[in-house]
mmCIF file of all heavy atoms in Angstrom:
data_model
loop_
_atom_site.group_PDB
_atom_site.id
_atom_site.type_symbol
_atom_site.label_atom_id
_atom_site.label_comp_id
_atom_site.label_asym_id
_atom_site.label_seq_id
_atom_site.Cartn_x
_atom_site.Cartn_y
_atom_site.Cartn_z
ATOM 1 N N GLU C 76 0.841 -1.196 0.000
ATOM 2 C CA GLU C 76 0.000 0.000 0.000
ATOM 3 C C GLU C 76 0.875 1.244 0.000
ATOM 4 O O GLU C 76 1.906 1.310 0.659
ATOM 5 C CB GLU C 76 -0.906 0.013 1.241
ATOM 6 C CG GLU C 76 -1.884 -1.148 1.291
ATOM 7 C CD GLU C 76 -2.890 -1.082 0.155
ATOM 8 O OE1 GLU C 76 -3.159 0.030 -0.331
ATOM 9 O OE2 GLU C 76 -3.393 -2.137 -0.242
ATOM 10 N N GLU C 77 0.445 2.234 -0.758
ATOM 11 C CA GLU C 77 1.183 3.485 -0.825
ATOM 12 C C GLU C 77 1.089 4.203 0.504
ATOM 13 O O GLU C 77 0.040 4.282 1.136
ATOM 14 C CB GLU C 77 0.607 4.390 -1.929
ATOM 15 C CG GLU C 77 0.822 3.839 -3.317
ATOM 16 C CD GLU C 77 2.277 3.854 -3.720
ATOM 17 O OE1 GLU C 77 2.998 4.753 -3.255
ATOM 18 O OE2 GLU C 77 2.682 2.968 -4.482
ATOM 19 N N VAL C 78 2.233 4.727 0.994
ATOM 20 C CA VAL C 78 2.272 5.512 2.220
ATOM 21 C C VAL C 78 1.876 6.941 1.887
ATOM 22 O O VAL C 78 2.416 7.550 0.966
ATOM 23 C CB VAL C 78 3.681 5.490 2.844
ATOM 24 C CG1 VAL C 78 3.696 6.342 4.113
ATOM 25 C CG2 VAL C 78 4.107 4.066 3.139
ATOM 26 N N ALA C 79 0.930 7.475 2.633
ATOM 27 C CA ALA C 79 0.460 8.841 2.379
ATOM 28 C C ALA C 79 1.557 9.839 2.692
ATOM 29 O O ALA C 79 2.167 9.815 3.760
ATOM 30 C CB ALA C 79 -0.770 9.128 3.235
ATOM 31 N N VAL C 80 1.820 10.734 1.774
ATOM 32 C CA VAL C 80 2.804 11.795 1.953
ATOM 33 C C VAL C 80 2.106 13.114 1.710
ATOM 34 O O VAL C 80 1.357 13.256 0.745
ATOM 35 C CB VAL C 80 3.985 11.637 0.947
ATOM 36 C CG1 VAL C 80 5.005 12.741 1.156
ATOM 37 C CG2 VAL C 80 4.628 10.264 1.106
ATOM 38 N N GLU C 81 2.330 14.090 2.585
ATOM 39 C CA GLU C 81 1.617 15.355 2.502
ATOM 40 C C GLU C 81 1.790 16.019 1.152
ATOM 41 O O GLU C 81 0.853 16.575 0.591
ATOM 42 C CB GLU C 81 2.101 16.306 3.613
ATOM 43 C CG GLU C 81 1.699 15.850 5.004
ATOM 44 C CD GLU C 81 2.093 16.855 6.053
ATOM 45 O OE1 GLU C 81 2.642 17.912 5.665
ATOM 46 O OE2 GLU C 81 1.862 16.599 7.243
ATOM 47 N N GLU C 82 3.011 15.950 0.592
ATOM 48 C CA GLU C 82 3.262 16.611 -0.686
ATOM 49 C C GLU C 82 2.500 15.948 -1.830
ATOM 50 O O GLU C 82 2.330 16.550 -2.891
ATOM 51 C CB GLU C 82 4.765 16.601 -1.012
ATOM 52 C CG GLU C 82 5.617 17.445 -0.084
ATOM 53 C CD GLU C 82 5.892 16.706 1.218
ATOM 54 O OE1 GLU C 82 5.534 15.514 1.302
ATOM 55 O OE2 GLU C 82 6.453 17.318 2.138
ATOM 56 N N GLU C 83 2.064 14.681 -1.644
ATOM 57 C CA GLU C 83 1.425 13.967 -2.735
ATOM 58 C C GLU C 83 -0.038 13.678 -2.443
ATOM 59 O O GLU C 83 -0.646 12.817 -3.066
ATOM 60 C CB GLU C 83 2.167 12.646 -2.987
ATOM 61 C CG GLU C 83 3.629 12.849 -3.382
ATOM 62 C CD GLU C 83 4.330 11.523 -3.610
ATOM 63 O OE1 GLU C 83 3.692 10.472 -3.375
ATOM 64 O OE2 GLU C 83 5.497 11.533 -4.005
ATOM 65 N N GLU C 84 -0.623 14.392 -1.485
ATOM 66 C CA GLU C 84 -2.004 14.144 -1.105
ATOM 67 C C GLU C 84 -2.967 14.357 -2.265
ATOM 68 O O GLU C 84 -3.989 13.685 -2.375
ATOM 69 C CB GLU C 84 -2.403 15.041 0.072
ATOM 70 C CG GLU C 84 -1.826 14.553 1.400
ATOM 71 C CD GLU C 84 -2.308 15.410 2.540
ATOM 72 O OE1 GLU C 84 -2.904 16.480 2.273
ATOM 73 O OE2 GLU C 84 -2.085 15.037 3.701
ATOM 74 N N GLU C 85 -2.628 15.308 -3.152
ATOM 75 C CA GLU C 85 -3.533 15.627 -4.244
ATOM 76 C C GLU C 85 -3.430 14.629 -5.388
ATOM 77 O O GLU C 85 -4.288 14.578 -6.249
ATOM 78 C CB GLU C 85 -3.254 17.042 -4.753
ATOM 79 C CG GLU C 85 -3.529 18.116 -3.703
ATOM 80 C CD GLU C 85 -3.268 19.503 -4.240
ATOM 81 O OE1 GLU C 85 -2.849 19.600 -5.412
ATOM 82 O OE2 GLU C 85 -3.456 20.468 -3.502
ATOM 83 N N GLU C 86 -2.346 13.838 -5.391
ATOM 84 C CA GLU C 86 -2.149 12.877 -6.480
ATOM 85 C C GLU C 86 -2.724 11.528 -6.078
ATOM 86 O O GLU C 86 -2.054 10.679 -5.506
ATOM 87 C CB GLU C 86 -0.659 12.734 -6.806
ATOM 88 C CG GLU C 86 -0.404 11.840 -8.017
ATOM 89 C CD GLU C 86 1.076 11.674 -8.284
ATOM 90 O OE1 GLU C 86 1.885 12.195 -7.522
ATOM 91 O OE2 GLU C 86 1.396 10.997 -9.264
ATOM 92 N N LEU C 87 -3.997 11.301 -6.359
ATOM 93 C CA LEU C 87 -4.660 10.061 -5.995
ATOM 94 C C LEU C 87 -4.238 8.956 -6.950
ATOM 95 O O LEU C 87 -4.080 9.176 -8.145
ATOM 96 C CB LEU C 87 -6.180 10.248 -6.042
ATOM 97 C CG LEU C 87 -6.740 11.322 -5.115
ATOM 98 C CD1 LEU C 87 -8.237 11.464 -5.327
ATOM 99 C CD2 LEU C 87 -6.431 11.004 -3.666
ATOM 100 N N LEU C 88 -4.067 7.767 -6.408
ATOM 101 C CA LEU C 88 -3.651 6.640 -7.234
ATOM 102 C C LEU C 88 -4.819 5.691 -7.475
ATOM 103 O O LEU C 88 -5.670 5.506 -6.610
ATOM 104 C CB LEU C 88 -2.507 5.877 -6.562
ATOM 105 C CG LEU C 88 -1.167 6.605 -6.448
ATOM 106 C CD1 LEU C 88 -0.173 5.737 -5.689
ATOM 107 C CD2 LEU C 88 -0.617 6.945 -7.822
ATOM 108 N N GLY C 89 -4.836 5.108 -8.666
ATOM 109 C CA GLY C 89 -5.820 4.078 -8.980
ATOM 110 C C GLY C 89 -5.094 2.783 -9.262
ATOM 111 O O GLY C 89 -3.883 2.779 -9.496
ATOM 112 N N ARG C 90 -5.827 1.678 -9.237
ATOM 113 C CA ARG C 90 -5.213 0.383 -9.493
ATOM 114 C C ARG C 90 -6.150 -0.452 -10.357
ATOM 115 O O ARG C 90 -7.338 -0.537 -10.083
ATOM 116 C CB ARG C 90 -4.929 -0.343 -8.176
ATOM 117 C CG ARG C 90 -4.294 -1.713 -8.334
ATOM 118 C CD ARG C 90 -4.040 -2.352 -6.992
ATOM 119 N NE ARG C 90 -3.082 -1.598 -6.216
ATOM 120 C CZ ARG C 90 -2.833 -1.807 -4.923
ATOM 121 N NH1 ARG C 90 -3.497 -2.745 -4.284
ATOM 122 N NH2 ARG C 90 -1.941 -1.092 -4.294
ATOM 123 N N VAL C 91 -5.604 -1.046 -11.416
ATOM 124 C CA VAL C 91 -6.382 -1.940 -12.271
ATOM 125 C C VAL C 91 -5.708 -3.306 -12.272
ATOM 126 O O VAL C 91 -4.520 -3.428 -11.958
ATOM 127 C CB VAL C 91 -6.487 -1.401 -13.718
ATOM 128 C CG1 VAL C 91 -7.216 -0.069 -13.746
ATOM 129 C CG2 VAL C 91 -5.108 -1.274 -14.359
ATOM 130 N N PHE C 92 -6.479 -4.319 -12.633
ATOM 131 C CA PHE C 92 -5.992 -5.694 -12.612
ATOM 132 C C PHE C 92 -6.131 -6.295 -14.002
ATOM 133 O O PHE C 92 -7.142 -6.102 -14.668
ATOM 134 C CB PHE C 92 -6.788 -6.525 -11.606
ATOM 135 C CG PHE C 92 -6.751 -5.979 -10.210
ATOM 136 C CD1 PHE C 92 -7.609 -4.962 -9.828
ATOM 137 C CD2 PHE C 92 -5.852 -6.469 -9.277
ATOM 138 C CE1 PHE C 92 -7.583 -4.446 -8.540
ATOM 139 C CE2 PHE C 92 -5.815 -5.965 -7.984
ATOM 140 C CZ PHE C 92 -6.682 -4.951 -7.616
ATOM 141 N N VAL C 93 -5.095 -7.015 -14.437
ATOM 142 C CA VAL C 93 -5.126 -7.701 -15.736
ATOM 143 C C VAL C 93 -4.907 -9.186 -15.467
ATOM 144 O O VAL C 93 -3.902 -9.579 -14.868
ATOM 145 C CB VAL C 93 -4.047 -7.180 -16.690
ATOM 146 C CG1 VAL C 93 -4.177 -7.849 -18.055
ATOM 147 C CG2 VAL C 93 -4.146 -5.665 -16.844
ATOM 148 N N ILE C 94 -5.862 -10.011 -15.897
ATOM 149 C CA ILE C 94 -5.777 -11.447 -15.638
ATOM 150 C C ILE C 94 -6.069 -12.232 -16.919
ATOM 151 O O ILE C 94 -6.558 -11.677 -17.899
ATOM 152 C CB ILE C 94 -6.770 -11.879 -14.541
ATOM 153 C CG1 ILE C 94 -8.219 -11.597 -14.982
ATOM 154 C CG2 ILE C 94 -6.485 -11.168 -13.238
ATOM 155 C CD1 ILE C 94 -9.262 -12.076 -13.985
ATOM 156 N N GLY C 95 -5.754 -13.513 -16.886
ATOM 157 C CA GLY C 95 -6.041 -14.360 -18.041
ATOM 158 C C GLY C 95 -4.829 -14.612 -18.910
ATOM 159 O O GLY C 95 -3.695 -14.722 -18.420
ATOM 160 N N GLN C 96 -5.038 -14.633 -20.217
ATOM 161 C CA GLN C 96 -4.015 -15.003 -21.190
ATOM 162 C C GLN C 96 -3.098 -13.826 -21.538
ATOM 163 O O GLN C 96 -3.102 -13.295 -22.646
ATOM 164 C CB GLN C 96 -4.663 -15.556 -22.459
ATOM 165 C CG GLN C 96 -5.359 -16.891 -22.260
ATOM 166 C CD GLN C 96 -4.380 -17.992 -21.885
ATOM 167 O OE1 GLN C 96 -3.347 -18.156 -22.526
ATOM 168 N NE2 GLN C 96 -4.690 -18.747 -20.851
ATOM 169 N N VAL C 97 -2.312 -13.402 -20.543
ATOM 170 C CA VAL C 97 -1.292 -12.376 -20.745
ATOM 171 C C VAL C 97 0.012 -12.880 -20.157
ATOM 172 O O VAL C 97 0.017 -13.818 -19.352
ATOM 173 C CB VAL C 97 -1.687 -11.030 -20.080
ATOM 174 C CG1 VAL C 97 -2.861 -10.392 -20.800
ATOM 175 C CG2 VAL C 97 -2.002 -11.220 -18.597
ATOM 176 N N ALA C 98 1.118 -12.244 -20.549
ATOM 177 C CA ALA C 98 2.426 -12.721 -20.107
ATOM 178 C C ALA C 98 2.644 -12.506 -18.609
ATOM 179 O O ALA C 98 3.215 -13.357 -17.928
ATOM 180 C CB ALA C 98 3.527 -12.013 -20.904
ATOM 181 N N ASN C 99 2.197 -11.354 -18.094
ATOM 182 C CA ASN C 99 2.444 -11.015 -16.693
ATOM 183 C C ASN C 99 1.178 -10.512 -16.019
ATOM 184 O O ASN C 99 0.988 -9.304 -15.859
ATOM 185 C CB ASN C 99 3.543 -9.944 -16.595
ATOM 186 C CG ASN C 99 4.840 -10.377 -17.239
ATOM 187 O OD1 ASN C 99 5.421 -11.385 -16.868
ATOM 188 N ND2 ASN C 99 5.300 -9.615 -18.220
ATOM 189 N N PRO C 100 0.269 -11.400 -15.621
ATOM 190 C CA PRO C 100 -0.945 -10.945 -14.933
ATOM 191 C C PRO C 100 -0.590 -10.272 -13.620
ATOM 192 O O PRO C 100 0.396 -10.625 -12.969
ATOM 193 C CB PRO C 100 -1.719 -12.249 -14.711
ATOM 194 C CG PRO C 100 -0.677 -13.319 -14.716
ATOM 195 C CD PRO C 100 0.358 -12.869 -15.688
ATOM 196 N N GLY C 101 -1.382 -9.284 -13.233
ATOM 197 C CA GLY C 101 -1.095 -8.601 -11.978
ATOM 198 C C GLY C 101 -1.872 -7.308 -11.842
ATOM 199 O O GLY C 101 -2.782 -7.004 -12.623
ATOM 200 N N ALA C 102 -1.504 -6.536 -10.817
ATOM 201 C CA ALA C 102 -2.141 -5.251 -10.535
ATOM 202 C C ALA C 102 -1.203 -4.126 -10.977
ATOM 203 O O ALA C 102 0.016 -4.210 -10.792
ATOM 204 C CB ALA C 102 -2.436 -5.132 -9.044
ATOM 205 N N PHE C 103 -1.772 -3.079 -11.562
ATOM 206 C CA PHE C 103 -0.975 -1.966 -12.070
ATOM 207 C C PHE C 103 -1.586 -0.644 -11.586
ATOM 208 O O PHE C 103 -2.790 -0.432 -11.704
ATOM 209 C CB PHE C 103 -0.925 -1.997 -13.599
ATOM 210 C CG PHE C 103 -0.378 -3.292 -14.144
ATOM 211 C CD1 PHE C 103 -1.233 -4.323 -14.509
ATOM 212 C CD2 PHE C 103 0.987 -3.488 -14.247
ATOM 213 C CE1 PHE C 103 -0.747 -5.532 -14.984
ATOM 214 C CE2 PHE C 103 1.494 -4.702 -14.724
ATOM 215 C CZ PHE C 103 0.625 -5.718 -15.095
ATOM 216 N N GLU C 104 -0.735 0.213 -11.028
ATOM 217 C CA GLU C 104 -1.203 1.477 -10.468
ATOM 218 C C GLU C 104 -1.016 2.623 -11.457
ATOM 219 O O GLU C 104 -0.149 2.575 -12.336
ATOM 220 C CB GLU C 104 -0.470 1.781 -9.173
ATOM 221 C CG GLU C 104 -0.819 0.830 -8.040
ATOM 222 C CD GLU C 104 -0.196 1.244 -6.723
ATOM 223 O OE1 GLU C 104 0.780 2.014 -6.748
ATOM 224 O OE2 GLU C 104 -0.688 0.800 -5.668
ATOM 225 N N PHE C 105 -1.840 3.645 -11.303
ATOM 226 C CA PHE C 105 -1.728 4.826 -12.160
ATOM 227 C C PHE C 105 -2.215 6.038 -11.388
ATOM 228 O O PHE C 105 -2.907 5.922 -10.378
ATOM 229 C CB PHE C 105 -2.545 4.642 -13.451
ATOM 230 C CG PHE C 105 -4.037 4.493 -13.211
ATOM 231 C CD1 PHE C 105 -4.882 5.595 -13.279
ATOM 232 C CD2 PHE C 105 -4.590 3.257 -12.918
ATOM 233 C CE1 PHE C 105 -6.245 5.467 -13.054
ATOM 234 C CE2 PHE C 105 -5.954 3.114 -12.698
ATOM 235 C CZ PHE C 105 -6.785 4.222 -12.771
ATOM 236 N N SER C 106 -1.834 7.206 -11.886
ATOM 237 C CA SER C 106 -2.269 8.457 -11.269
ATOM 238 C C SER C 106 -3.592 8.884 -11.878
ATOM 239 O O SER C 106 -3.811 8.739 -13.081
ATOM 240 C CB SER C 106 -1.207 9.545 -11.502
ATOM 241 O OG SER C 106 -1.733 10.816 -11.187
ATOM 242 N N GLN C 107 -4.470 9.431 -11.035
ATOM 243 C CA GLN C 107 -5.747 9.919 -11.543
ATOM 244 C C GLN C 107 -5.525 11.068 -12.532
ATOM 245 O O GLN C 107 -6.364 11.323 -13.395
ATOM 246 C CB GLN C 107 -6.633 10.397 -10.384
ATOM 247 C CG GLN C 107 -6.966 9.284 -9.381
ATOM 248 C CD GLN C 107 -7.967 8.289 -9.924
ATOM 249 O OE1 GLN C 107 -8.258 8.272 -11.112
ATOM 250 N NE2 GLN C 107 -8.489 7.437 -9.065
ATOM 251 N N ASP C 108 -4.397 11.753 -12.403
ATOM 252 C CA ASP C 108 -4.081 12.835 -13.334
ATOM 253 C C ASP C 108 -3.504 12.311 -14.649
ATOM 254 O O ASP C 108 -3.347 13.057 -15.609
ATOM 255 C CB ASP C 108 -3.070 13.808 -12.697
ATOM 256 C CG ASP C 108 -3.643 14.511 -11.476
ATOM 257 O OD1 ASP C 108 -4.874 14.720 -11.448
ATOM 258 O OD2 ASP C 108 -2.876 14.833 -10.561
ATOM 259 N N ASN C 109 -3.157 11.048 -14.657
ATOM 260 C CA ASN C 109 -2.581 10.439 -15.859
ATOM 261 C C ASN C 109 -3.254 9.081 -16.084
ATOM 262 O O ASN C 109 -2.680 8.031 -15.825
ATOM 263 C CB ASN C 109 -1.073 10.267 -15.691
ATOM 264 C CG ASN C 109 -0.408 9.806 -16.977
ATOM 265 O OD1 ASN C 109 -0.956 9.969 -18.070
ATOM 266 N ND2 ASN C 109 0.757 9.205 -16.846
ATOM 267 N N PRO C 110 -4.521 9.086 -16.570
ATOM 268 C CA PRO C 110 -5.309 7.849 -16.690
ATOM 269 C C PRO C 110 -4.608 6.798 -17.547
ATOM 270 O O PRO C 110 -3.800 7.098 -18.418
ATOM 271 C CB PRO C 110 -6.609 8.326 -17.355
ATOM 272 C CG PRO C 110 -6.669 9.786 -17.077
ATOM 273 C CD PRO C 110 -5.253 10.256 -17.060
ATOM 274 N N LEU C 111 -4.961 5.562 -17.264
ATOM 275 C CA LEU C 111 -4.404 4.414 -17.981
ATOM 276 C C LEU C 111 -5.466 3.881 -18.934
ATOM 277 O O LEU C 111 -6.625 3.727 -18.560
ATOM 278 C CB LEU C 111 -4.010 3.336 -16.971
ATOM 279 C CG LEU C 111 -3.065 2.219 -17.416
ATOM 280 C CD1 LEU C 111 -1.702 2.794 -17.747
ATOM 281 C CD2 LEU C 111 -2.943 1.192 -16.290
ATOM 282 N N SER C 112 -5.081 3.617 -20.179
ATOM 283 C CA SER C 112 -6.026 3.050 -21.139
ATOM 284 C C SER C 112 -5.936 1.535 -21.121
ATOM 285 O O SER C 112 -4.999 0.952 -20.561
ATOM 286 C CB SER C 112 -5.717 3.559 -22.554
ATOM 287 O OG SER C 112 -4.528 2.964 -23.050
ATOM 288 N N ALA C 113 -6.903 0.883 -21.746
ATOM 289 C CA ALA C 113 -6.902 -0.577 -21.810
ATOM 290 C C ALA C 113 -5.654 -1.090 -22.534
ATOM 291 O O ALA C 113 -5.042 -2.077 -22.113
ATOM 292 C CB ALA C 113 -8.160 -1.062 -22.512
ATOM 293 N N LEU C 114 -5.266 -0.429 -23.608
ATOM 294 C CA LEU C 114 -4.081 -0.851 -24.345
ATOM 295 C C LEU C 114 -2.822 -0.722 -23.499
ATOM 296 O O LEU C 114 -1.940 -1.590 -23.526
ATOM 297 C CB LEU C 114 -3.931 -0.006 -25.625
ATOM 298 C CG LEU C 114 -4.766 -0.438 -26.832
ATOM 299 C CD1 LEU C 114 -4.529 0.505 -27.999
ATOM 300 C CD2 LEU C 114 -4.435 -1.868 -27.233
ATOM 301 N N GLN C 115 -2.725 0.375 -22.735
ATOM 302 C CA GLN C 115 -1.553 0.569 -21.890
ATOM 303 C C GLN C 115 -1.484 -0.493 -20.800
ATOM 304 O O GLN C 115 -0.412 -1.022 -20.502
ATOM 305 C CB GLN C 115 -1.596 1.964 -21.270
ATOM 306 C CG GLN C 115 -1.352 3.081 -22.278
ATOM 307 C CD GLN C 115 -1.618 4.464 -21.697
ATOM 308 O OE1 GLN C 115 -2.510 4.634 -20.860
ATOM 309 N NE2 GLN C 115 -0.850 5.450 -22.124
ATOM 310 N N ALA C 116 -2.638 -0.808 -20.212
ATOM 311 C CA ALA C 116 -2.674 -1.828 -19.165
ATOM 312 C C ALA C 116 -2.275 -3.189 -19.720
ATOM 313 O O ALA C 116 -1.521 -3.938 -19.089
ATOM 314 C CB ALA C 116 -4.066 -1.893 -18.546
ATOM 315 N N LEU C 117 -2.758 -3.508 -20.918
ATOM 316 C CA LEU C 117 -2.396 -4.779 -21.542
ATOM 317 C C LEU C 117 -0.903 -4.816 -21.875
ATOM 318 O O LEU C 117 -0.251 -5.861 -21.757
ATOM 319 C CB LEU C 117 -3.225 -4.995 -22.806
ATOM 320 C CG LEU C 117 -4.696 -5.360 -22.579
ATOM 321 C CD1 LEU C 117 -5.482 -5.281 -23.885
ATOM 322 C CD2 LEU C 117 -4.813 -6.753 -21.974
#
């Protein structure tokens, strides 16, 4: 889990999960200010 830091309070993180027939299934985090697309997650 990300440790809350005062300087980064405004930068909220999101997490998506990729499972199934992929090389490296797992969880991937991204910034709400820099959204992740389906292609990027794959």
Side-chain angles (χ1 to χ4, degrees):
E76 297 295 333
E77 293 292 329
V78 179
V80 181
E81 292 185 2
E82 293 80 7
E83 299 180 356
E84 284 183 349
E85 296 181 358
E86 185 182 3
L87 300 176
L88 292 177
R90 180 180 296 169
V91 298
F92 302 83
V93 184
I94 62 176
Q96 292 296 311
V97 291
N99 302 302
F103 303 94
E104 292 186 340
F105 63 95
S106 167
Q107 299 287 12
D108 296 330
N109 187 21
L111 197 65
S112 72
L114 278 179
Q115 290 171 326
L117 287 169

